[in-house]
Amino acid sequence: MRRYIILLTTWCLVAISGWAFQVHKTKIQHFGEEDGFSSALVVHMIQDSNGYIWLATWDGLRRYDGYRFETFKARPGDCSPLESNRISYVEETADHQIICWSNDKYYLFNPQTAVFTLYNNKVKPHLYHPTAKAKQKIQNIKEYQNIEFSILLEDQQNGIWVNSHRGLERISDIPAPIMTLKDSPHEEVVSALYADVKGYLWVADKSGYIRLINKNKQTQYLTANGSLSSTRTSFGYAAYCIYKDRKGRMWIGTKPDGLFKLTPHHGGYQVEHFCNDPKDVFSINCNSVYDIAEDAKNRLVIATFGGGLNIAEQLSNGQTRFMHCGNVLKQYPHKGLKSRCLSMMPDGTLLFGTNDGLYTTSLNNPYEKMVFYINNRRPNDVHSISNNFVTEILQAKSGRIYITTSGGGTDVVISHKLLCDTIQFQHFSVAEGISSDMNQTLTEDRNGNVWIVSAGSLSMLNPKTGLATNYWNLFPDAGELFTEATPAVLSNGTLVFSTTLGILPINPSEMKKSNFVPRIVFNCAHEVFLSPDEKDFSIRFAALDYNKNEEIVYAYKLDGIDSEWRYTRSNELNYARLAPGDYTLHIKSTNGDGVWTDNEQTIILHRSAYFNETPWAWMLYGLLITCFVIGGLSAIRYVRRLKRELKNVQLTSKEQIELLGERIKELLPITEEVKEITEESETLSPDDRFFASRVKEYVEKNIDNADLSVIDIAQAMYVSRTVLFVRMKHIFNSSPNNYVLNTRINYAKKLLLTTDMRVSDVAYKSGFSDPKYFSRCFKKLTGVLPKDFSEGKK
């Protein structure tokens, strides 16, 4: 009896407040190292016309944007005129610069350039004096009683900035979390809610209790035999849905104990229990009942999790039989057996959600002719359902149909035809501004706003504007979450939500949100010029709202890159590999109460182009291709002319072929295989030996010249290329190209054995422009790579 009196008193207090009275509490925000605020005495503060907070400290001038503090002060070698970083006073000028008083001098700080200059104009200081109301408020806070403190500023959002031995803190009022209402001190996971036309709120939990709360907030408990008890008594079964039909009978679906029919009888109810009977093909085919609806023919439509759809008919003898896929509904899709929710349209069309998508059918057809249409997620169709896991269906007063999914957010049907498998949807997800994509259920309030329930948050969607207001901080206790029970709407407009710790009544009219419009500021100018090297662009910004009851959400869009708005809770953006051109970055945000505001700001970006990114470059590329074609044709003509020259040289056929190949190689990269060369000195004439020594001397002298060519050697020897080839073939048994290559390799061997040079440096020193090509040539000649050769010899 005492428990009942306490419970009744609680409900009376709630009734006085209209089920959901939201009070305020004091928030003390302390600033420390994690906010970028190092310990420093703060002596003066202002809030400028943009909304920034400026602090005069004994460690420089500081600026706060709601996320972090930034410090500006004199540093070694920065040419700043500041003689000391002890700032005693700050003030804003008409052109939005900051006047600072330090060491008996005034300085002007330019926020755009972050530069201090001497300020020689006269300044009449405007000292701040806190109001008596602000003083009284701080004195009433227990943390500030009996300690010395100074009030430095009352900002535009009524926040009071206080400095004391506790450090720098901001005092503000925030809404207190709304308390859930429990029926017992133990865990109370609410599994079903229902508000009937008589004003009773039915509340069921997974522990098997079902309570009825009337308009006077008096509670009764439904017992297993259908009677109503004023003492806490268990029904004995976990109810997952509650429904009242047109004849006034209550239907309770449970898991895993089947369906109960409650017929009013002598102040209580007469209970009839339906569960699966393997011997009766017309019994309900699954004992896990998730949702119940009624059609125009007074047939009960039941969603079961494991048996799919069941349609209950009452026979003339008073008995009830169930139509399902195990009897007359043979055509029912077996992928839809895990059905969760129902919605009956006025024309007899039934929508029901499953783990396999949204199903539709018409109950106007005979059972054997019922056709089931399946709407699954179509990856290539932006207007298909966002996720196959459908958790709730709502037909709003406007006629629009809302569907929540687990992982895809909430979808709105935009098609007129429902009996098809190509229904079109509009999507609302985190990308469109709602708090979560893991949506469990939803309901509609008196004003036509749709409340979307996720595990840890609520989103109120305004169908007219398409904007969502999010509520993240509703629960005071850790681990308290919303459950999947469909919310109930009371006659006074109160919304009752189910949680893991009881019910949560909310009066939408009292869930007041701030209409403050924060200004968005950036860490750069509103027009940015990027050089050709600056292909990546990063920006930091802040919506200057210091009352962050909810996390601020930003929407951004870069014209030419983003086709739609993108959403983020971070106040930093990064764009990589921007193409040359002009861009406009749009950014807007919610305020600190989670309300979207009209505060859009833009940044203009100009990125200059490299020459190869301009149209002139493409014209040049076309010209080069043309020249390449012309060069190819010229090479062909050159080869033909060379063949004609060979006819006039008295050489053997083999020598002519070798000479032709050598001359052709002059036009191509060297691809000849490297061969070891020996000088046949004993058979050479004095003239040949003299010629050989001159060639050796010239090649070795120019060994590091990567551009050394056959024509260079021929000119140095005062002979034609043809004569050079013939004489070097005779003396060295090698072509000029192979001779030069062999000489380079021998020189490289010497460097590898006698120095500690890197392989790449040896390559360049030996006249190779490409270290990789050097390694290939070296291995062909020696059988090992340069690195292995060096290590092996050492």
Side-chain angles (χ1 to χ4, degrees):
M1 186 66 182
R2 183 179 175 212
R3 180 187 297 171
Y4 174 71
I5 293 173
I6 294 173
L7 182 62
L8 179 60
T9 303
T10 302
W11 280 105
C12 288
L13 290 174
V14 175
I16 293 173
S17 64
W19 280 82
F21 177 72
Q22 192 169 16
V23 297
H24 289 80
K25 69 175 185 178
T26 300
K27 175 184 177 182
I28 302 178
Q29 183 179 4
H30 181 81
F31 300 103
E33 296 288 348
E34 66 276 7
D35 306 294
F37 184 79
S38 57
S39 299
L41 179 64
V42 182
V43 294
H44 191 232
M45 294 177 65
I46 64 168
Q47 185 171 16
D48 69 14
S49 55
N50 288 325
Y52 280 117
I53 301 294
W54 293 89
L55 299 83
T57 79
W58 283 13
D59 187 32
L61 176 67
R62 298 187 179 180
R63 182 177 68 184
Y64 182 59
D65 63 2
Y67 291 91
R68 62 186 64 82
F69 289 86
E70 192 171 1
T71 302
F72 307 98
K73 62 181 183 179
R75 303 182 189 276
D78 64 357
C79 301
S80 173
L82 280 176
E83 299 174 0
S84 168
N85 286 323
R86 182 174 289 194
I87 309 295
S88 305
Y89 174 80
V90 287
E91 181 179 329
E92 185 183 17
T93 66
D95 59 351
H96 310 300
Q97 298 193 67
I98 303 298
I99 298 174
C100 306
W101 171 256
S102 174
N103 200 26
D104 297 330
K105 293 181 182 179
Y106 284 106
Y107 297 88
L108 192 65
F109 178 76
N110 187 329
Q112 297 295 325
T113 61
V115 172
F116 290 93
T117 56
L118 278 171
Y119 189 71
N120 297 319
N121 296 346
K122 292 184 178 181
V123 177
K124 182 179 180 181
H126 299 83
L127 299 179
Y128 167 75
H129 299 285
T131 61
K133 182 178 178 181
K135 289 181 179 179
Q136 186 63 42
K137 181 173 182 177
I138 301 303
Q139 289 172 350
N140 290 338
I141 299 175
K142 66 177 183 178
E143 286 84 355
Y144 289 98
Q145 294 176 0
N146 302 320
I147 70 170
E148 184 178 349
F149 63 84
S150 60
I151 299 177
L152 299 173
L153 177 68
E154 294 176 70
D155 61 36
Q156 298 168 4
Q157 295 177 268
N158 301 318
I160 303 174
W161 296 73
V162 181
N163 194 49
S164 68
H165 74 266
R166 293 165 51 91
L168 180 65
E169 295 175 315
R170 181 178 184 270
I171 314 301
S172 60
D173 289 333
I174 62 172
I178 302 174
M179 302 300 294
T180 53
L181 303 176
K182 293 179 59 180
D183 187 46
S184 73
H186 307 292
E187 182 183 59
E188 187 175 303
V189 180
V190 176
S191 55
L193 292 170
Y194 184 78
D196 64 23
V197 294
K198 292 184 179 181
Y200 282 93
L201 175 65
W202 294 63
V203 182
D205 61 51
K206 290 187 177 181
S207 298
Y209 290 87
I210 299 178
R211 50 191 165 120
L212 286 71
I213 308 168
N214 64 17
K215 292 181 178 179
N216 298 322
K217 310 304 179 287
Q218 296 172 330
T219 301
Q220 292 178 299
Y221 297 88
L222 179 67
T223 66
N225 60 13
S227 62
L228 298 176
S229 172
S230 59
T231 59
R232 181 174 167 81
T233 307
S234 174
F235 177 65
Y237 306 97
Y240 272 62
C241 60
I242 303 173
Y243 181 77
K244 188 173 186 178
D245 66 18
R246 294 187 183 93
K247 294 182 179 181
R249 298 170 299 190
M250 300 301 300
W251 296 83
I252 299 176
T254 70
K255 178 184 178 181
D257 297 296
L259 179 68
F260 292 83
K261 181 173 73 173
L262 280 62
T263 305
H265 181 71
H266 298 307
Y269 296 93
Q270 185 177 0
V271 179
E272 187 175 358
H273 188 193
F274 304 96
C275 59
N276 177 250
D277 182 359
K279 298 179 181 180
D280 183 3
V281 72
F282 284 99
S283 67
I284 191 169
N285 71 341
C286 180
N287 291 330
S288 296
V289 179
Y290 272 34
D291 202 3
I292 303 171
E294 189 176 9
D295 71 356
K297 298 178 182 179
N298 297 327
R299 292 179 297 182
L300 212 62
V301 185
I302 304 162
T304 68
F305 194 76
L309 198 65
N310 281 247
I311 303 174
E313 282 187 346
Q314 189 162 358
L315 304 178
S316 57
N317 60 3
Q319 294 183 346
T320 302
R321 67 175 185 174
F322 298 85
M323 314 300 173
H324 48 71
C325 61
N327 45 52
V328 297
L329 296 180
K330 299 292 186 181
Q331 68 277 26
Y332 184 86
H334 286 278
K335 284 189 176 182
L337 292 178
K338 293 182 178 180
S339 57
R340 291 178 166 271
C341 51
L342 302 166
S343 184
M344 183 69 64
M345 301 294 108
D347 63 354
T349 299
L350 175 68
L351 286 77
F352 56 103
T354 74
N355 283 13
D356 185 50
L358 177 68
Y359 285 33
T360 61
T361 190
S362 175
L363 295 180
N364 297 326
N365 297 325
Y367 294 126
E368 63 276 4
K369 293 185 178 180
M370 288 176 62
V371 178
F372 294 90
Y373 300 93
I374 306 173
N375 278 270
N376 300 120
R377 178 180 176 272
R378 300 184 294 274
N380 297 325
D381 186 356
V382 70
H383 290 297
S384 76
I385 195 168
S386 59
N387 193 288
N388 289 345
F389 203 113
V390 178
T391 55
E392 185 63 283
I393 305 171
L394 169 70
Q395 185 179 17
K397 292 187 286 286
S398 63
R400 302 185 78 185
I401 300 172
Y402 294 82
I403 297 169
T404 56
T405 70
S406 180
T410 295
D411 297 337
V412 183
V413 175
I414 58 178
S415 298
H416 296 290
K417 185 178 179 181
L418 299 177
L419 295 175
C420 65
D421 54 9
T422 56
I423 296 177
Q424 301 287 291
F425 299 88
Q426 179 186 359
H427 309 297
F428 291 95
S429 64
V430 171
E432 284 73 38
I434 67 174
S435 62
S436 172
D437 287 342
M438 296 292 292
N439 300 156
Q440 299 181 152
T441 184
L442 74 170
T443 190
E444 183 181 21
D445 65 21
R446 281 180 168 180
N447 298 321
N449 297 314
V450 176
W451 291 72
I452 303 170
V453 183
S454 303
S457 62
L458 292 177
S459 294
M460 185 189 72
L461 179 65
N462 186 329
K464 296 180 181 178
T465 63
L467 298 178
T469 300
N470 298 312
Y471 300 85
W472 281 288
N473 302 320
L474 290 171
F475 296 126
D477 298 326
E480 190 169 357
L481 300 171
F482 290 105
T483 65
E484 297 178 356
T486 303
V489 183
L490 303 184
S491 57
N492 64 356
T494 297
L495 307 178
V496 183
F497 298 92
S498 60
T499 79
T500 54
L501 292 176
I503 60 174
L504 180 69
I506 290 178
N507 191 330
S509 63
E510 295 177 355
M511 299 293 288
K512 298 297 183 182
K513 287 284 191 176
S514 168
N515 58 2
F516 178 73
V517 181
R519 180 184 179 89
I520 297 179
V521 295
F522 304 91
N523 67 336
C524 63
H526 282 265
E527 189 167 12
V528 178
F529 295 88
L530 303 176
S531 68
D533 291 330
E534 296 175 307
K535 295 182 179 181
D536 301 338
F537 174 71
S538 299
I539 186 172
R540 193 173 68 232
F541 46 86
L544 297 179
D545 191 330
Y546 304 105
N547 290 338
K548 293 182 182 178
N549 303 320
E550 305 284 358
E551 192 173 4
I552 293 178
V553 180
Y554 296 91
Y556 64 95
K557 180 172 61 174
L558 186 63
D559 291 345
I561 301 295
D562 303 316
S563 58
E564 298 179 347
W565 287 99
R566 298 179 179 271
Y567 295 81
T568 180
R569 291 182 176 87
S570 171
N571 68 324
E572 296 183 7
L573 288 180
N574 297 283
Y575 281 93
R577 303 184 65 82
L578 287 176
D582 299 328
Y583 302 89
T584 301
L585 176 63
H586 304 262
I587 297 180
K588 58 184 179 180
S589 76
T590 64
N591 62 19
D593 246 358
V595 179
W596 286 100
T597 60
D598 185 15
N599 65 344
E600 182 179 330
Q601 295 286 330
T602 58
I603 294 288
I604 308 299
L605 302 178
H606 308 277
R607 186 190 164 245
S608 302
Y610 285 112
F611 175 75
N612 62 357
E613 296 174 318
T614 63
W616 294 104
W618 292 104
M619 294 173 61
L620 178 60
Y621 296 153
L623 179 61
L624 291 176
I625 292 173
T626 302
C627 294
F628 179 78
V629 173
I630 295 174
L633 296 175
S634 299
I636 294 173
R637 290 196 297 269
Y638 174 80
V639 171
R640 292 175 178 174
R641 180 168 58 83
L642 183 60
K643 288 181 177 180
R644 290 195 298 268
E645 291 179 1
L646 290 176
K647 293 180 179 179
N648 301 321
V649 180
Q650 299 299 319
L651 299 173
T652 66
S653 299
K654 182 178 179 181
E655 290 175 336
Q656 289 183 5
I657 294 173
E658 291 179 358
L659 178 59
L660 177 61
E662 181 64 15
R663 295 290 297 274
I664 292 175
K665 287 178 183 178
E666 294 176 7
L667 304 176
L668 304 173
I670 297 175
T671 58
E672 180 182 358
E673 182 179 355
V674 181
K675 298 178 181 178
E676 188 67 34
I677 302 171
T678 59
E679 181 182 346
E680 299 294 338
S681 56
E682 296 180 358
T683 60
L684 297 179
S685 65
D687 184 57
D688 287 340
R689 284 196 294 270
F690 177 73
F691 185 87
S693 63
R694 288 175 58 207
V695 170
K696 284 183 180 181
E697 180 182 1
Y698 181 81
V699 171
E700 290 173 357
K701 183 178 180 180
N702 294 275
I703 195 68
D704 59 346
N705 181 9
D707 297 324
L708 180 64
S709 64
V710 175
I711 189 64
D712 294 332
I713 300 173
Q715 290 176 352
M717 300 299 107
Y718 303 105
V719 295
S720 68
R721 285 176 293 178
T722 302
V723 173
L724 177 67
F725 174 82
V726 173
R727 296 201 65 178
M728 291 193 70
K729 192 69 176 176
H730 172 67
I731 297 171
F732 299 101
N733 194 27
S734 170
S735 66
N737 280 332
N738 194 63
Y739 177 83
V740 172
L741 199 56
N742 188 82
T743 304
R744 294 187 193 277
I745 295 298
N746 288 334
Y747 183 68
K749 288 181 183 179
K750 179 180 178 181
L751 292 177
L752 289 171
L753 292 174
T754 59
T755 68
D756 293 325
M757 296 173 65
R758 294 181 303 175
V759 171
S760 58
D761 294 332
V762 170
Y764 296 130
K765 191 73 175 175
S766 303
F768 291 88
S769 59
D770 183 2
K772 292 182 179 180
Y773 177 63
F774 162 68
S775 295
R776 291 199 302 269
C777 293
F778 192 96
K779 186 174 182 180
K780 284 184 179 181
L781 186 62
T782 65
V784 294
L785 291 171
K787 182 179 179 181
D788 299 332
F789 175 85
S790 177
E791 293 177 352
K793 291 296 183 180
K794 290 179 180 180

